[in-house]
C-alpha cells in the first residue's frame, strides 16, 4: 500500500506553485486529491495535468468566503469521501510599508491567509473529530516566525497562522487530529515571480539579492516544500502536533 493510499486530501490554492506540487506529490503516493482555486480556467488546466496521476476532484472557490468553503468541503466529501488531510495553502503576498497599505489590501491579506485557514479548518474538522483521525498542515512562512522588512501585514497573517496551528493542535490532540505548520523560506513559484516583477530589478538581480542572506544561497523548488507537507501529514510522525517546521535553507536559523 502506498503512503497515502485511499486517503482523501484537500489542498487549497492548488492550481499553481506549492499547492500544485503538493497535489501532485499526494497523487503520486496514492491519495485522492481535491484541488481548489479561484480562477476556473487555471484550475481546469491543473486538473487536466494532474488527472494522469490518479483521482482528482477540482472545485472552484474562494477560501475567504464561508459559503464557498462549505460547498468545497461538502462537494469534496460527496465526490471523494471524508477528508483525511487538509492542506491550508492558499495565500497572497503584498509587500509594502505599513503606511502605504490600504485597508482593502490589509483585508485581502488577512481574509485569504488567516481567515481562509480558519474557515477551512472550521468546516473540515467536525468530520475528523467524528472519525477520530485527521491531519491538517498549514502553509505559513518564515515570515510567520521572524519579521521581514516590508511585509508587516503578511507577517501578521502568517504569524497568526502559526499560533492558530498550535492552538487548534491543543484543542484536538485528544481527538487523534494532528495540526502542524510548514514555514517555507523563499520558493520559486509564481508568487516569487510576481515579487520579482514588482521589484523592477530584472529576475537575475532580484534573485541574487533574494538569496544573498540565505545560508544555502538559493531558493527552494515547490517540490521541496511539498515533501515537508507530506511528511507532516503522514503516519510517520504520529507524535508530532503543534509544530512549525522551517524549510528555508537556514534563513531563520541565524
Ligand atoms: P502561488 O501564487 O503560486 O499560489 C497561491 C495559490 O493560492 C494560487 O493557486 C492562488 O490561486 C490561490 N489563492 C489565492 N487566493 C485564493 C483564495 N482567496 N481562494 C482560493 N485560492 C486562492 O504562490 P505559492 O508561492 O505557491 O504560495 C502558496 C503558499 O505558500 C501561500 O500561502 C504563500 O503565502 C506561502 N509561501 C510562499 C513562499 C514563496 O516564496 N513562494 C514562501 C513562504 C510561504
Amino acid at each position: 500500500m502506498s503512503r497515502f493510499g485511499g486517503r482523501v486530501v484537500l489542498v487549497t490554492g492548488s492550481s499553481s506553485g506549492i499547492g500544485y506540487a503538493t497535489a501532485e506529490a499526494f497523487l503520486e503516493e496514492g491519495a485522492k486529491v481535491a484541488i481548489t482555486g479561484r480562477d476556473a480556467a487555471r484550475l481546469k488546466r491543473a486538473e487536466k495535468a494532474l488527472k494522469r496521476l490518479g483521482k482528482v476532484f477540482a472545485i472552484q472557490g474562494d477560501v475567504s468566503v464561508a459559503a464557498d468553503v462549505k460547498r468545497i468541503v461538502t462537494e469534496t466529501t460527496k465526490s471523494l469521501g471524508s477528508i483525511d488531510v487538509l492542506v491550508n495553502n492558499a495565500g497572497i503576498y503584498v509587500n509594502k510599508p505599513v503606511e502605504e497599505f490600504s485597508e482593502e489590501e490589509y483585508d485581502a491579506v488577512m481574509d485569504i491567509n488567516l481567515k481562509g485557514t480558519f474557515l477551512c479548518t472550521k468546516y473540515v474538522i467536525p468530520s475528523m473529530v467524528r472519525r477520530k483521525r485527521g491531519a491538517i498542515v498549514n502553509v505559513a512562512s518564515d515570515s510567520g516566525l521572524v519579521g521581514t522588512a516590508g511585509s508587516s501585514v503578511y507577517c501578521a497573517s502568517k504569524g497568526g497562522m502559526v499560533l492558530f496551528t498550535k492552538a487548534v493542535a491543543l484543542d484536538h490532540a485528544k481527538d487523534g487530529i494532528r495540526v502542524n505548520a510548514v514555514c517555507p523560506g523563499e520558493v520559486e513559484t509564481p508568487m516569487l515571480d510576481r515579487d520579482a516583477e514588482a521589484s523592477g530589478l530584472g529576475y537575475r538581480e532580484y534573485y541574487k539579492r533574494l538569496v544573498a542572506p540565505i545560508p544555502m544561497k538559493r531558493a527552494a523548488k515547490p517540490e521541496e516544500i511539498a515533501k515537508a507537507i507530506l511528511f507532516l501529514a503522514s503516519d510517520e510522525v504520529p507524535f508530532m502536533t503543534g509544530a512549525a517546521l522551517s524549510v528555508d535553507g537556514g534563513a531563520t536559523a541565524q
Side-chain angles (χ1 to χ4, degrees):
M1 190 75 153
S2 46
R3 195 157 59 138
F4 290 96
R7 304 274 172 95
V8 175
V9 179
L10 170 61
V11 185
T12 67
S14 30
S15 53
S16 66
I18 295 169
Y20 180 87
T22 301
E24 195 171 37
F26 272 117
L27 284 163
E28 280 165 354
E29 301 229 25
K32 295 182 273 183
V33 180
I35 61 169
T36 75
R38 280 185 302 189
D39 183 324
R42 276 184 23 190
L43 191 64
K44 194 91 207 134
R45 278 200 297 279
E47 181 190 17
K48 205 170 155 206
L50 290 169
K51 258 189 352 208
R52 71 198 148 85
L53 295 172
K55 179 83 180 153
V56 182
F57 174 64
I59 179 156
Q60 189 264 343
D62 185 332
V63 294
S64 65
V65 176
D68 281 19
V69 174
K70 275 193 221 175
R71 181 175 47 79
I72 288 168
V73 173
T74 306
E75 294 300 316
T76 297
T77 307
K78 259 193 223 158
S79 173
L80 301 181
S82 297
I83 297 166
D84 297 296
V85 176
L86 166 66
V87 181
N88 283 309
N89 167 76
I92 58 167
Y93 177 69
V94 181
N95 180 24
K96 54 171 76 169
V98 64
E99 66 276 18
E100 289 172 23
F101 239 86
S102 69
E103 201 176 333
E104 290 72 26
E105 286 168 327
Y106 173 92
D107 285 343
V109 172
M110 285 300 187
D111 282 356
I112 296 171
N113 296 1
L114 191 52
K115 186 178 165 194
T117 301
F118 155 72
L119 287 173
C120 293
T121 304
K122 173 179 165 66
Y123 289 112
V124 166
I125 221 161
S127 90
M128 290 182 169
V129 172
R130 274 194 301 276
R131 299 164 70 229
K132 294 278 177 225
R133 58 182 262 195
I136 299 176
V137 183
N138 295 325
V139 183
S141 172
D142 56 353
S143 301
L145 299 174
V146 297
T148 312
S151 302
S152 53
V153 178
Y154 182 75
C155 284
S157 73
K158 294 296 181 177
M161 280 178 78
V162 170
L163 282 186
F164 180 75
T165 300
K166 290 177 185 283
V168 178
L170 294 180
D171 285 345
H172 292 289
K174 63 181 184 313
D175 298 318
I177 301 166
R178 297 183 304 102
V179 190
N180 291 289
V182 65
C183 296
E186 307 298 349
V187 191
E188 290 176 28
T189 69
M191 186 179 277
L192 198 86
D193 295 342
R194 287 190 295 273
D195 196 42
E197 211 174 306
S199 75
L201 292 168
Y203 193 80
R204 275 173 77 98
E205 184 57 27
Y206 168 85
Y207 190 86
K208 206 171 108 190
R209 292 190 196 186
L210 182 83
V211 302
I214 301 172
M216 286 191 178
K217 301 293 174 213
R218 68 173 181 87
K221 301 282 181 207
E223 294 74 23
E224 294 179 272
I225 310 305
K227 283 205 163 67
I229 293 170
L230 266 70
F231 170 70
L232 290 173
S234 77
D235 294 340
E236 287 158 35
V237 282
F239 203 49
M240 206 167 167
T241 197
L245 183 67
S246 293
V247 187
D248 62 6
T252 55
Q254 314 176 85

